[in-house]
């Protein structure tokens, strides 16, 4: 994409002078695992109720082909905040190091330097919450759940020392109220608000009052997701009504974007809300194919609205493809910020949305995420997953049901060459960063090749074993002790615990006795890891003894530990305690 940036930047600079004297307020509202279907104005799913979002859409533009930069939380947020494709600074997935991101200049920093008051609300997911101010935000209210969170303002928008704050409202409501308070506080000067609602991402924690808006028969996970989205909608209504009350509606540019598609887990299992924090989030991608974790349309073709009453004509459905990368480029142009060619990968959208430029903003959009890469040029889309390759005409097959690669090998070859050249610019270069995992192969088999869904195995009841489950053996509770008995083969036995959400670093402490000496190990998956990576393994020595022995093992890292395996030498083992202690927040 870099070869396009000089001409694209020049379009943005044309619009700078016309807006230099009227710098608008800029608000970016970002939702979390929000499926394409779940906007009432789309009319796709009849159970969705989003009156305030529908009003926002009518006042501005529905970007019919609006895209995130990744089908996963961290990289999509890194791209949004920097306006640069995250693969250029090695932020490819949720488990990537943040070293590259920390060296980038965010749009918040650019706007702050241009005289804007900047504020962040809700989910950050790009490093410690206490360090958000290092990325250009003056005010922080990072509540994204019902636990303590970092903030340097109160719910009323008043200053306080940066530190932990207990929740006083439901997290979506709290972020909206704090954002409205900041609008009131800074109504006389330009501001940039980044409101990142952690909704409808799991855990599905909508208060009953929101769920009660959706009576009748439906999966409980669907009801909970709709409740969370109702809270988001109310929050958007509070923000827009606060703007209107203060005469700021026509002085404020608003983006509303989803970070990626909904995770369906293929089966959309309606598992208990409290027992499957990593399951289907209740949102839907209809009619798109695929889900979170795929570069298919269902993974990153997202809800995308843009409104600026009085400047952008309302009631539009914009057909050309746009990207979350365009937010930073648009904001920079409207704030009269000089940007060097190559600093941003997006395009100033305002001249296009005003009808001043009739051509498409992008010659092509391109993505790379783990083992997958894709390019959309006009209505043609080439999608790769490992060695698999598919070609779709999205004008007639938005659902990606019919690959045309064999019918149009020339188009596939041309798009592949363009995608390959672009991926060579990334850090590290390449069409893929590794092989396809079993999960991704299952997704591609089911969604793109029409193969039967893999068998869904219900999670066993592990309440008696405190959430731990044996593989290659049996685990039972006996007189307050967990007893592990390997299968007869005596190989490959371990115990595992999933659906965790432990803030790293985590300390694992085990008190046990075993009949066999050798080496044990703790292995773990971080949020975003599809498999257990070789680097995420900490060994420790085990001695056969009839006495209890205690081992303490550190699980490093600042992300979230979601899955742990405990390996011991093959033999009978008894556990008196197994404690996983997350970092204090």
């Amino acid at each position: 994409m870099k070869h396009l940036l000089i001409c694209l930047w020049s379009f943005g600079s044309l619009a700078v002078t016309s807006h230099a004297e009227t710098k608008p307020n800029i608000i970016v509202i970002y939702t979390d695992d929000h499926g394409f279907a779940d906007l009432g104005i789309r009319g796709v799913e009849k159970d969705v109720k989003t009156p305030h979002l529908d009003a926002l859409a009518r006042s501005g533009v529905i970007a019919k082909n609006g895209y995130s930069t990744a089908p996963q939380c961290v990289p999509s947020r890194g791209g949004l905040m920097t306006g640069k494709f995250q693969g250029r600074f090695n932020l490819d997935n949720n488990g990537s190091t943040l070293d590259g991101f920390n060296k980038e200049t965010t749009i918040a920093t650019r706007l702050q330097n241009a005289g804007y008051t900047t504020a962040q609300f809700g989910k950050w997911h790009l490093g410690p919450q206490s360090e958000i101010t290092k990325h250009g935000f003056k005010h922080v209210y990072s509540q994204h759940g019902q636990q303590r969170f970092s903030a340097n303002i109160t719910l009323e928008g008043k200053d306080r020392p940066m530190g932990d704050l207990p929740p006083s409202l439901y997290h979506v409501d709290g972020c909206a109220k704090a954002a409205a308070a900041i609008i009131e506080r800074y109504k006389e000067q330009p501001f940039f608000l980044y409101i990142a609602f952690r909704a409808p991402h799991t855990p599905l924690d909508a208060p009953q009052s929101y769920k009660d808006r959706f009576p009748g028969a439906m999966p409980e996970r669907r009801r909970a997701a709709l409740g969370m989205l109702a809270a988001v909608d109310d929050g958007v209504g509070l923000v827009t009504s606060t703007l209107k009350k203060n005469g700021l509606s026509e002085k404020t540019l608003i983006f509303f974007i989803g970070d990626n598609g909904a995770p369906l887990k293929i089966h959309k299992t309606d598992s208990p809300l409290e027992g499957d924090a990593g399951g289907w989030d209740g949102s839907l991608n209809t009619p798109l194919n695929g889900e979170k974790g795929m570069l298919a349309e269902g993974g990153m073709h997202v809800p995308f609205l843009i409104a600026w009453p009085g400047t952008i004509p309302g009631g539009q459905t914009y057909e050309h493809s746009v990207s979350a990368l365009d937010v930073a480029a648009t904001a920079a142009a409207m704030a009269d910020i000089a940007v060097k060619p190559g600093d941003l990968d997006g395009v100033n959208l305002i001249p296009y949305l005003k009808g001043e430029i009739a051509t498409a903003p992008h010659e092509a959009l391109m993505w790379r995420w783990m083992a997958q890469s894709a390019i959309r040029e006009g209505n043609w889309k080439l999608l790769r997953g490992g060695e698999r390759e598919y070609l779709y005409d999205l004008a007639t097959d938005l659902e990606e049901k019919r690959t045309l690669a064999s019918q149009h090998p020339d188009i596939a070859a041309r798009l592949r060459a363009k995608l390959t050249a672009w991926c060579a610019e990334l850090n590290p270069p390449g069409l893929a960063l590794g092989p396809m995992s079993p999960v991704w192969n299952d997704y591609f088999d089911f969604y793109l090749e029409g193969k039967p869904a893999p068998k869904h195995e219900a999670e066993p009841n592990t309440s008696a074993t405190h959430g731990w489950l044996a593989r290659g053996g049996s685990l039972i509770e006996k007189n307050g002790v967990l007893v592990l008995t390997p299968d007869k083969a005596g190989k490959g036995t371990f115990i595992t615990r999933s659906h965790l959400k432990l803030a790293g670093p985590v300390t694992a402490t085990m008190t046990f006795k075993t009949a066999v000496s050798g080496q044990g190990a703790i292995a773990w998956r971080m949020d975003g890891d599809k498999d257990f990576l070789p680097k995420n393994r900490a060994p420790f020595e085990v001695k056969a003894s009839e006495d209890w022995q205690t081992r303490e093992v550190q699980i490093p890292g600042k992300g979230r530990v979601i899955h742990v395996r405990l390996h011991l030498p093959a033999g009978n083992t008894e556990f008196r305690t197994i404690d996983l202690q997350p970092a204090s927040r």
Side-chain angles (χ1 to χ4, degrees):
M1 191 183 290
K2 189 176 289 183
H3 61 286
L4 300 176
L5 293 178
I6 295 177
C7 64
L8 295 178
W9 179 81
S10 65
F11 283 144
S13 62
L14 288 175
V16 166
T17 55
S18 65
H19 290 277
E21 298 178 0
T22 58
K23 294 181 180 180
N25 305 310
I26 300 167
I27 299 177
V28 177
I29 303 172
Y30 216 47
T31 49
D32 199 359
D33 287 7
H34 183 179
F36 177 85
D38 286 339
L39 283 176
I41 199 167
R42 286 206 198 279
V44 175
E45 298 292 341
K46 302 303 182 184
D47 55 3
V48 183
K49 299 174 184 177
T50 54
H52 299 295
L53 283 169
D54 298 349
L56 181 69
R58 286 190 291 269
S59 73
V61 178
I62 300 173
K64 184 178 179 180
N65 293 294
Y67 288 93
S68 174
T69 65
Q72 193 181 45
C73 298
V74 170
S76 74
R77 290 162 198 272
L80 174 76
M81 282 290 97
T82 61
K84 182 183 292 188
F85 186 78
Q86 59 275 1
R88 297 194 187 281
F89 46 89
N90 197 23
L91 187 65
D92 294 287
N93 63 80
N94 281 6
S96 296
T97 174
L98 291 167
D99 293 346
F101 170 77
N102 290 334
K103 296 175 183 178
E104 295 292 323
T105 302
T106 67
I107 187 57
T109 297
R110 296 182 192 275
L111 290 170
Q112 189 175 57
N113 292 340
Y116 277 68
T117 295
T118 58
Q120 182 273 346
F121 308 86
K123 183 172 177 176
W124 178 239
H125 224 39
L126 290 167
Q129 298 173 2
S130 59
E131 298 180 5
I132 296 174
T133 53
K134 295 181 180 180
H135 297 285
F137 290 101
K138 178 178 180 178
H139 298 303
V140 174
Y141 193 87
S142 61
Q143 185 183 3
H144 63 282
Q146 299 312 107
Q147 66 277 339
R148 299 182 70 88
F149 59 96
S150 294
N152 63 9
I153 55 171
T154 66
L155 196 61
E156 293 75 30
K158 297 180 180 179
D159 293 330
R160 66 182 298 274
M162 176 65 86
D164 282 359
L165 193 66
S168 57
L169 289 177
Y170 178 54
H171 57 93
V172 175
D173 298 340
C175 290
K177 184 174 180 179
I182 290 296
I183 293 172
E184 293 279 5
R185 178 175 172 180
Y186 292 101
K187 57 190 174 185
E188 301 297 335
Q189 61 191 82
F191 53 76
F192 169 61
L193 309 186
Y194 172 45
I195 309 170
F197 294 121
R198 200 271 295 156
H201 195 291
T202 57
L204 296 167
D205 56 7
Q208 191 62 43
S209 60
Y210 283 117
K211 293 192 288 187
D212 286 345
R213 298 184 188 183
F214 304 93
M218 66 175 67
E220 288 305 311
R221 284 187 164 255
R222 178 64 175 164
R223 194 187 321 278
L226 293 175
M228 294 180 77
L229 289 172
V232 168
D233 189 70
D234 281 6
V236 170
L238 178 59
V239 167
T240 54
S241 65
T242 305
L243 293 172
K244 183 177 181 179
K245 181 180 75 172
N246 290 287
L248 299 176
S249 297
E250 295 189 356
K251 299 178 182 179
T252 305
L253 168 62
I254 300 177
F255 289 91
F256 178 91
I257 306 172
D259 71 336
N260 49 247
L264 311 177
K265 309 298 183 180
I266 294 180
H267 300 276
K268 297 194 289 291
T269 302
D270 193 27
S271 52
L273 303 186
E274 67 278 3
D276 189 3
W280 172 41
D281 77 337
S283 192
L284 296 170
N285 301 319
T286 317
L288 306 181
N289 202 7
E291 59 175 284
K292 178 181 179 178
M294 299 179 71
L295 291 180
E297 294 294 288
M300 47 30 159
H301 190 159
V302 295
F304 203 124
L305 307 176
I306 310 162
W308 188 0
T311 298
I312 299 173
Q316 294 188 62
T317 297
Y318 191 68
E319 299 283 343
H320 292 301
S321 298
V322 298
S323 167
L325 294 175
D326 298 330
V327 171
T330 303
M334 294 304 96
D336 195 19
I337 297 172
V339 179
K340 297 178 182 178
D343 273 7
L344 299 177
D345 282 337
V347 178
N348 171 21
L349 294 177
I350 302 303
Y352 297 90
L353 301 180
K354 292 174 65 177
E356 296 171 354
I357 302 176
T359 55
H362 299 274
E363 177 185 322
L365 291 179
M366 287 170 272
W367 300 265
R368 185 190 69 185
W369 184 75
M370 305 298 285
Q372 304 172 42
S373 55
I375 176 173
R376 176 169 181 170
E377 181 187 79
N379 286 318
W380 287 108
K381 178 180 175 183
L382 185 78
L383 168 62
R384 293 180 57 85
E387 297 303 314
R388 308 188 196 203
E389 186 173 273
Y390 310 84
L391 178 69
Y392 300 106
D393 179 2
L394 298 181
T396 59
D397 184 23
L398 186 63
E399 297 83 1
E400 294 174 309
K401 295 294 188 181
R402 301 179 300 278
T403 179
L404 303 176
S406 60
Q407 292 95 315
H408 299 283
D410 53 334
I411 295 176
R414 177 173 56 80
L415 293 179
R416 187 187 315 113
K418 184 175 290 189
L419 179 61
T420 300
W422 177 77
C423 286
E425 301 173 359
L426 303 181
N427 176 29
L431 283 168
L433 297 178
M436 292 277 281
S437 74
V439 171
W440 298 333
N441 279 320
D442 285 345
Y443 283 6
F444 273 60
D445 284 348
F446 176 71
Y447 289 111
L448 304 181
E449 299 192 9
K451 295 180 180 179
K455 183 179 178 182
H456 176 70
E457 297 183 2
E459 287 289 332
N461 186 347
T462 58
S463 58
T465 54
H466 309 289
W468 292 93
L469 179 70
R471 300 298 188 191
S474 64
L475 184 69
I476 62 171
E477 188 275 336
K478 185 176 181 180
N479 298 325
V481 173
L482 298 183
V483 180
L484 174 64
T485 305
D487 290 339
K488 292 182 179 180
K491 296 181 180 180
T493 306
F494 59 89
I495 62 173
T496 181
R497 187 171 175 185
S498 59
H499 304 317
L500 300 169
K501 281 197 161 185
L502 303 176
V506 173
T507 301
T509 306
M510 302 146 285
T511 299
F512 60 92
K513 55 185 176 182
T514 182
V516 181
S517 297
Q519 189 178 77
I522 288 277
W524 63 91
R525 283 198 302 130
M526 305 298 290
D527 191 6
D529 293 343
K530 296 296 182 181
D531 295 301
F532 284 82
L533 304 177
K535 65 178 182 178
N536 292 345
R537 186 181 178 92
F540 58 90
E541 291 301 316
V542 174
K543 294 182 179 180
S545 174
E546 294 184 359
D547 297 324
W548 294 107
Q549 53 189 299
T550 299
R551 297 289 184 273
E552 184 176 287
V553 181
Q554 294 295 320
I555 299 176
K558 295 183 178 180
R560 287 190 302 180
V561 177
I562 62 171
H563 193 174
V564 169
R565 289 176 178 173
L566 173 55
H567 299 262
L568 289 172
N572 294 334
T573 304
E574 297 180 14
F575 298 93
R576 189 166 67 184
T577 60
I578 310 173
D579 180 55
L580 300 173
Q581 184 64 45
S584 59
R585 298 186 65 81

